């Protein structure tokens, strides 16, 4: 980890910004790896090369001296004291580096705002998930020092296009799979209806003429049960496929929501309600299952009542996070219903339903709502 501070001249003016120093340090590291270290490794270490992703955040941090005292004088023991940097800034920088791909520099909004203008042109706004939490910021890749062209060609790990498929292609394949499953489901339902009618007719005939054909009737009933199990499994697969499509709505700053379109997204949501009902899920359970995606979809298309209802269910049932979209919260305040969300989150804390490691997040949600309400 590297920590940088602003450079100040004799008159107290900032002569070089800390964020500019951090960016140049990251560029230097990427340049050394791809133009020097990897060349040596490829020639001398069985053709192996390395890569790294770098994360940067900007803000206040606390520096403290920690360790055990009383052993400094013993030359046979290691130094038990050291300098430690702590705070949200260091934590976020670490998380940004975890989700940055090889060769990427991933910076927070605070870093970008404080950059000098000469460094701002190369960045693209982006968002990535770490676990269930979304981190937004700016990304650039292969951002080397200016003189890197004089060093020859960069030596990098070959990109594996089979690991991360193009998201638009995934969406197209997903939609095709939905259509295929829908056709198959309709066909299965028709076959099941025909079989049920056949069973009804055969049972009537068996009662009159063929009491001795008990074994065949049992076989038909077993086949019916098997087909019902297949039908249920098909619905569950169909349900999960749609859920997978909806889970990608935040990709590339929501461009894919525009590509799919509001009407088709809402159609998928209605299909999901119908499929969930067929496999025994209540509407509230379905909403909670899809809550973080529904909130983003409804909020993006300014359907704030539905976004807020989904947010309330997520607050009521989730034990680790709630997706709070600012525009929806503003709508709730203007319509005098924001107290409902506050009460649900507060109830989760009072009843100890929230995981211990997530309590501070939920307390933060309450504080955010208080500020919006003006308390």
């Amino acid at each position: 980890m590297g920590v940088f501070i602003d450079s100040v001249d004799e008159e107290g003016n900032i002569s070089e910004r800390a964020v500019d120093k951090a960016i140049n340090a990251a560029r230097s590291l990427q340049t050394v790896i791809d133009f020097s270290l990897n060349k040596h490794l490829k020639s001398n270490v069985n053709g192996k090369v390395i890569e790294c992703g770098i994360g940067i955040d900007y803000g206040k941090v606390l520096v403290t001296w920690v360790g055990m005292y009383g052993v400094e004088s013993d030359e046979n023991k290691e130094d038990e004291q050291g300098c430690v940097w702590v705070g949200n800034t260091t934590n976020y920088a670490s998380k940004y580096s975890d989700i940055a791909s090889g060769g990427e520099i991933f910076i927070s909004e605070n870093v970008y705002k404080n950059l000098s203008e000469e460094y701002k042109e190369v960045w693209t706004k982006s968002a990535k998930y770490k676990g269930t939490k979304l981190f937004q910021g700016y990304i650039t890749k292969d951002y080397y020092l200016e003189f890197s062209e004089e060093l020859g060609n960069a030596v990098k790990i070959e990109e594996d296009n089979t690991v991360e498929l193009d998201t638009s292609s995934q969406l197209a394949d997903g939609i095709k799979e939905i259509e295929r499953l829908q056709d198959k489901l309709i066909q299965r339902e028709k076959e099941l209806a025909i079989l049920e009618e056949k069973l009804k007719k055969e049972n009537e005939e068996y009662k009159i003429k063929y009491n001795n054909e008990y074994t065949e009737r049992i076989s038909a009933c077993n086949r019916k049960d098997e087909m019902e199990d297949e039908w249920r499994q098909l619905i569950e697969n169909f349900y999960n496929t749609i859920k997978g499509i909806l889970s990608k709505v935040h990709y590339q700053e929501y461009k894919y929501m525009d590509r799919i379109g509001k009407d088709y997204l809402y159609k998928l949501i209605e299909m999901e309600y119908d499929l969930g009902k067929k496999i025994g899920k209540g509407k509230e359970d379905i909403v909670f299952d899809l809550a973080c995606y529904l909130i983003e979809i409804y909020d993006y298309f300014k359907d704030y009542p539905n976004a807020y209802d989904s947010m309330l269910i997520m607050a009521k049932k989730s034990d680790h996070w709630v997706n709070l979209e600012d525009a929806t919260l503003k709508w709730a305040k203007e319509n005098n219903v924001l107290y409902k969300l506050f009460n649900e989150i507060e109830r989760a804390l009072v009843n100890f339903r929230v995981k211990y490691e997530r309590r501070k997040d939920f307390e933060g949600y309450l504080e955010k709502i208080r500020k919006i309400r003006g308390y």
Side-chain angles (χ1 to χ4, degrees), residues 276-277 280-287:
K277 182 179 179 181
K281 290 178 177 284
K283 184 171 182 179
E284 192 169 277
D285 292 328
I286 298 169
V287 172

Side-chain angles (χ1 to χ4, degrees), residues 50-293:
I50 64 172
E51 63 181 3
C52 74
I54 299 172
I56 304 173
D57 194 16
Y58 176 75
K60 293 182 179 180
V61 295
L62 172 68
V63 58
T64 182
W65 191 258
V66 298
M68 297 177 60
Y69 295 91
V71 296
E72 315 83 53
S73 59
D74 189 342
E75 296 181 354
N76 295 322
K77 292 189 176 182
E78 295 183 2
D79 187 5
E80 298 290 340
Q81 301 178 50
C83 182
V84 175
W85 303 83
V86 294
N88 287 336
T89 301
T90 56
N91 292 337
Y92 274 93
S94 175
K95 290 173 181 176
Y96 272 72
S97 67
D98 288 344
I99 55 182
S101 301
E104 286 184 348
I105 304 173
F106 194 5
I107 64 175
S108 68
E109 182 76 29
N110 285 339
V111 175
Y112 184 80
K113 286 180 179 178
N114 287 277
L115 275 177
S116 297
E117 290 299 322
E118 62 183 290
Y119 294 109
K120 284 190 173 182
E121 295 182 358
V122 300
W123 303 94
T124 300
K125 195 166 186 179
S126 184
K128 293 188 177 186
Y129 270 106
K130 179 174 175 60
T132 58
K133 189 167 184 179
L134 181 67
F135 291 85
Q136 300 187 60
Y138 294 81
I139 283 181
T140 188
K141 189 168 184 178
D142 300 335
Y143 189 23
Y144 303 119
L145 295 173
E146 284 81 357
F147 62 81
S148 61
E149 293 181 358
E150 301 174 10
L151 303 176
N153 295 324
V155 177
K156 299 169 57 63
I157 294 177
E158 293 183 2
E159 295 185 2
D160 184 0
N161 292 326
T162 64
V163 176
E164 294 186 11
L165 297 174
D166 178 72
T167 307
S168 61
S169 176
Q170 287 181 328
L171 287 169
D173 291 343
I175 291 172
K176 290 180 181 178
E177 179 65 8
I178 285 176
E179 294 172 349
R180 186 188 69 81
L181 289 171
Q182 189 174 24
D183 292 341
K184 191 173 181 180
L185 179 60
I186 293 171
Q187 182 63 30
R188 278 287 186 272
E189 289 177 336
K190 289 180 178 178
E191 292 175 359
L192 187 59
I194 293 172
L195 184 60
E196 287 178 341
E197 184 63 29
K198 179 182 178 182
L199 280 171
K200 183 179 179 181
K201 182 178 180 180
E202 287 181 350
N203 282 336
E204 291 298 324
E205 292 175 353
Y206 290 153
K207 288 178 183 179
I208 300 172
K209 299 180 181 179
Y210 305 109
N211 291 330
N212 61 338
E213 295 184 4
Y214 177 79
T215 302
E216 183 177 346
R217 181 166 61 86
I218 291 299
S219 177
C221 290
N222 289 340
R223 177 55 184 156
K224 175 178 176 291
D225 291 339
E226 291 173 0
M227 289 191 68
E228 287 177 342
D229 290 340
E230 292 175 3
W231 175 77
R232 180 181 177 84
Q233 186 61 53
L234 186 61
I235 291 177
E236 290 178 351
N237 292 341
F238 197 178
Y239 180 92
N240 291 328
T241 299
I242 293 178
K243 182 179 178 182
I245 292 293
L246 297 177
S247 71
K248 297 176 174 64
V249 296
H250 63 276
Y251 279 16
Q252 291 194 1
E253 288 300 302
Y254 309 110
K255 289 181 181 178
Y256 291 106
M257 276 204 283
D258 290 331
R259 181 174 297 176
I260 296 175
K262 177 181 177 181
D263 291 342
Y264 194 76
L265 280 171
Y266 275 50
K267 179 180 178 182
L268 291 180
I269 293 169
E270 287 302 317
M271 290 171 64
E272 198 76 332
Y273 285 144
D274 183 60
L275 293 169
K277 182 179 179 181
K278 288 182 178 180
I279 56 177
K281 290 178 177 284
K283 184 171 182 179
E284 192 169 277
D285 292 328
I286 298 169
V287 172
F288 176 62
D289 206 15
L290 310 170
C292 61
Y293 317 133

